[in-house]
Amino acid sequence: ETDWHVFAGGRHTSDGLEWHAPLDTIRYPDLADHKVGEQVIFPGAGFLEIAFSVARQYLKTENVVIASFEILKPLDLTNGDTREVMTRVSPGSNTIEIFSRPRLSHVAWLLHCRGKIVHGNAAQEITSPVAPAGGQTISQEEIYRIADGSGLHYGSTFQLVQHVVMHDDKHMTVQLSV
């Protein structure tokens, strides 16, 4: 049984502990809308999507938690070259690691992120915190102007925030379009 995920790919080894997939902006042109400075960078949420997909397949459950997840190095897609992405699970420690290298090369794998995968608790209820009333609304235009000024250049594919309400220093409400 092989489950294919758009970014994680499919199981690659006979022991079932590695997943491989090609990744580039030709196959996935929307990724070109995620820029930091002048570089096209694979989104952090994409790494998490890979980790969750692999964790669900590895643990054979939809109920998984990714803990202590660290992005150690960005995955640069600027030149449009195809990268081979490898995700590996270490069964003794339940560590999950995501690597890449130029496709069809034999250079060393570059480690991008690492975390732990564990079974989630299905009985745990998820509740949304209640934010204080009132606050300052920041428009979509202002949010992306601030991001752009900070070197985060999000094309239309990555502009899902409609507005943010800042209630105080610790609470905000974010309105997304999905």
Side-chain angles (χ1 to χ4, degrees):
E1 168 192 335
T2 302
D3 292 313
W4 183 265
H5 180 271
V6 65
F7 296 139
R11 289 184 193 238
H12 185 72
T13 55
S14 59
D15 63 9
L17 299 175
E18 284 184 12
W19 284 252
H20 285 240
L23 182 66
D24 58 44
T25 55
I26 295 166
R27 272 182 194 79
Y28 309 108
D30 288 346
L31 291 176
D33 274 353
H34 192 270
K35 288 187 176 179
V36 177
E38 296 302 313
Q39 293 179 294
V40 176
I41 301 295
F42 187 68
F47 283 129
L48 281 169
E49 179 64 28
I50 291 170
F52 276 112
S53 172
V54 167
R56 286 190 296 264
Q57 289 180 50
Y58 176 69
L59 295 176
K60 296 181 173 78
T61 179
E62 290 295 312
N63 193 16
V64 298
V65 172
I66 306 295
S68 303
F69 192 75
E70 297 178 276
I71 298 175
L72 305 167
K73 186 158 188 66
L75 193 150
D76 189 344
L77 299 172
T78 304
N79 296 327
D81 298 332
T82 301
R83 304 286 297 182
E84 183 78 17
V85 175
M86 174 183 64
T87 307
R88 181 171 56 208
V89 174
S90 300
S93 62
N94 273 11
T95 298
I96 186 167
E97 296 173 307
I98 302 172
F99 302 83
S100 81
R101 69 181 179 190
R103 188 160 191 225
L104 304 176
S105 75
H106 296 288
V107 300
W109 290 98
L110 179 62
L111 176 62
H112 294 285
C113 29
R114 170 187 301 133
K116 299 278 186 188
I117 58 176
V118 294
H119 283 279
N121 180 356
Q124 188 176 37
E125 185 177 328
I126 298 172
T127 58
S128 297
V130 177
Q136 175 190 0
T137 300
I138 303 171
S139 71
Q140 180 183 41
E141 295 76 22
E142 180 70 4
I143 291 163
Y144 292 107
R145 186 189 65 72
I146 292 168
D148 198 61
S150 300
L152 303 173
H153 309 299
Y154 298 122
S156 59
T157 304
F158 290 93
Q159 291 186 15
L160 301 177
V161 176
Q162 294 299 307
H163 67 270
V164 172
V165 178
M166 297 298 299
H167 300 287
D168 57 34
D169 289 345
K170 297 180 182 173
H171 300 91
M172 75 171 83
T173 304
V174 179
Q175 177 69 46
L176 298 173
S177 63
V178 263

